[in-house]
């Protein structure tokens, strides 16, 4: 990423975004494979980010409220570990809600929210800068599933904040690559505060991804509407149904869009066939035990310092240090 900043009202803005070409190539590759698939990052256009925010408020979706409970309860200890005046980079910052629970206590020199959803990122970053006038905000529109250049604000302590268990949306090999990238970002002695959803009863998991109001279904289907808008495609979302199941062998929730009838879809001039009953695999959400996550983090050079979990063992937040 070129870290040349553009001043936008109260914030600095940096852009490295998936181009339409990249998107077209990735969608084509996914829909041409035997098990059709779409990269989950394409959920997050403006509408998708709003739908995700609605998911976080659902009664069935326990991760957000459990993580917020942990952040509230343990903020002083977390702040002490992060230290004051660091460069604080948040991956997948979305609405930048959770960071508010730590900001006053850690008073970072610079806060860098990173997200793929451009408009949502800018709005959230500007709102944050308005609410915390002492805070310098450098928002970066980044597809962090691809390598990005390390922002270098000069010497000092670097911390990364990666809440929400978004690490679970990466295949384990990609999660390791991402953690290594975060390690390069924070450098020796730098820290990572990361939220990780825990393995648990399949019923609780499946309810969290099949809510009664159908918000998760809308979120899943919105990826098709996003492709229609960006790539001149003609998906009819009514031809697909949301499906989410826990795959206990792989330790992950799988989201699919199941095709309801035989039909074809045209995307940017290329025609794709869909058969009734076949699915497009749209997302994995891996769940980790504390030990499994420590093992993954260790491969990226991170040592566990502290882990917080709720009483029911639903969710974990780890503080890890590089080296
Ligand atoms: C962003 N991510 C951690 C969410 C999850 O739980 O895997 C995305 C999501 N998909 C369906 N519901 C929520």
């Amino acid at each position: 990423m070129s870290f040349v900043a553009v001043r936008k009202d109260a914030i600095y803005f940096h852009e490295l975004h998936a181009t339409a070409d990249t998107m077209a190539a990735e969608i084509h590759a996914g829909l041409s494979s035997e098990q059709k698939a779409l990269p989950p990052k394409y959920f997050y256009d403006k509408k998708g980010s709003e739908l995700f925010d609605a998911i976080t408020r659902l009664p069935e979706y326990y991760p957000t409220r459990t993580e917020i409970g942990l952040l509230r309860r343990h903020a002083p200890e977390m702040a002490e570990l992060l230290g004051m005046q660091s460069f604080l980079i948040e991956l997948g910052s979305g609405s930048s809600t959770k960071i508010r629970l730590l900001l006053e206590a850690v008073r970072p020199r610079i806060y860098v929210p990173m997200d793929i959803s451009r408009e949502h990122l800018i709005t959230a970053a500007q709102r944050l800068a308005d609410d915390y006038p002492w805070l310098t905000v450098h928002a970066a529109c980044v597809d962090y599933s691809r390598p990005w250049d390390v922002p270098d604000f000069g010497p000092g302590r670097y911390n990364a904040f990666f809440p929400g268990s978004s690490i679970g949306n990466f295949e384990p090999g990609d999660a390791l690559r991402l953690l290594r990238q975060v390690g390069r970002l924070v450098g020796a002695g730098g820290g990572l505060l990361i939220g990780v959803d825990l393995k648990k009863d399949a019923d609780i998991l499946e309810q969290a991804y099949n809510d009664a109001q159908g918000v998760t279904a809308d979120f899943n289907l919105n990826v098709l509407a996003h492709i229609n808008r960006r790539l001149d495609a003609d998906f009819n979302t009514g031809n697909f149904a949301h499906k989410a199941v826990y795959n206990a062998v792989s330790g992950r929730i799988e989201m699919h869009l199941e095709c309801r009838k035989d039909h074809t879809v045209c995307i940017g001039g290329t025609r794709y066939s869909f058969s009734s009953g076949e699915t497009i695999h749209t997302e994995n959400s891996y769940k980790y035990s504390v030990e499994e996550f420590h093992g993954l983090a260790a491969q990226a050079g991170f040592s566990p310092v502290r882990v917080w979990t709720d009483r029911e063992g639903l969710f974990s937040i780890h503080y890890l240090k590089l080296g």
Side-chain angles (χ1 to χ4, degrees):
M1 180 195 331
S2 101
F3 245 63
V4 178
V6 176
R7 183 93 197 171
K8 267 189 191 294
D9 297 333
I11 64 161
Y12 296 92
F13 181 68
H14 312 255
E15 179 140 38
L16 181 80
H17 207 267
T19 63
D21 275 0
T22 311
M23 181 174 180
E26 288 177 338
I27 301 300
H28 175 72
L31 294 182
S32 305
S33 59
E34 181 140 339
Q35 166 61 68
K36 291 189 175 76
L38 291 169
K41 64 187 175 189
Y42 293 118
F43 285 134
Y44 300 97
D45 61 351
K46 184 163 183 289
K47 173 93 179 147
S49 298
E50 286 164 7
L51 284 166
F52 179 66
D53 278 352
I55 288 176
T56 65
R57 294 188 288 271
L58 290 169
E60 297 93 336
Y61 195 74
Y62 63 84
T64 310
R65 64 171 176 276
T66 311
E67 187 179 42
I68 287 176
L70 289 172
L71 284 165
R72 285 221 167 92
R73 200 165 315 130
H74 302 289
E77 196 186 348
M78 291 174 182
E80 176 123 11
L81 289 166
L82 290 166
M84 289 184 81
Q85 293 293 313
S86 68
F87 299 106
L88 181 59
I89 294 127
E90 180 171 356
L91 284 85
S93 52
S95 297
S96 280
T97 307
K98 293 169 190 162
I99 194 65
R100 289 168 182 261
L101 300 170
L102 295 170
L103 273 183
E104 286 291 357
V106 298
R107 288 252 164 181
R109 283 165 74 171
I110 296 180
Y111 168 62
V112 188
M114 289 182 161
D115 206 280
I116 194 168
S117 189
R118 191 175 185 279
E119 277 177 75
H120 200 71
L121 168 73
I122 294 172
T123 310
Q126 284 177 338
R127 198 171 298 144
L128 198 79
D130 287 347
D131 293 346
Y132 297 84
W134 50 265
L135 185 65
T136 303
V137 180
H138 281 252
C141 187
V142 177
D143 170 5
Y144 58 78
S145 68
R146 303 210 314 250
W148 76 85
D149 287 341
V150 176
D152 186 359
F153 295 104
R157 183 182 163 80
Y158 285 73
N159 282 309
F161 180 46
F162 195 14
S165 200
S166 296
I167 191 75
N169 296 133
F170 290 80
E171 290 304 302
D174 293 334
L176 179 57
R177 265 186 289 283
L178 181 60
L179 290 175
R180 288 195 171 126
Q181 174 90 37
V182 173
R184 285 192 289 278
L185 181 76
V186 298
L192 168 62
L193 187 68
I194 182 166
V196 182
D197 197 11
L198 292 168
K199 286 212 161 89
K200 62 184 63 65
D201 191 87
D203 286 346
I204 300 176
L205 285 166
E206 290 190 350
Q207 278 178 37
Y209 292 82
N210 288 288
D211 66 280
Q213 293 169 54
V215 182
T216 311
D218 290 347
F219 172 74
N220 198 3
L221 288 160
N222 180 62
V223 72
L224 305 180
H226 184 197
I227 294 170
N228 282 349
R229 267 195 307 281
R230 291 270 301 274
L231 299 180
D232 187 26
D234 61 359
F235 274 111
N236 175 350
T237 55
N239 286 341
F240 293 88
H242 165 74
K243 188 174 160 188
V245 283
Y246 185 58
N247 177 335
V249 176
S250 309
R252 67 191 194 200
I253 280 280
E254 291 184 7
M255 288 214 312
H256 293 258
L257 288 168
E258 188 172 282
C259 179
R260 294 178 196 263
K261 63 171 199 185
D262 294 354
H263 69 290
T264 63
V265 174
C266 190
I267 307 176
T270 306
R271 206 153 266 292
Y272 300 85
S273 299
F274 293 87
S275 316
S276 174
E278 83 163 310
T279 71
I280 310 174
H281 189 172
T282 49
E283 186 182 60
N284 286 323
S285 192
Y286 282 87
K287 311 300 170 187
Y288 292 92
S289 68
V290 166
E291 296 69 30
E292 282 168 342
F293 189 71
H294 280 166
L296 183 71
Q299 290 179 66
F302 281 102
S303 311
V305 177
R306 184 83 171 89
V307 57
W308 301 269
T309 60
D310 57 294
R311 244 183 256 134
E312 290 166 86
L314 296 174
F315 200 88
S316 61
I317 301 181
H318 297 251
Y319 179 71
L320 309 149
K321 243 184 154 165
L322 194 73

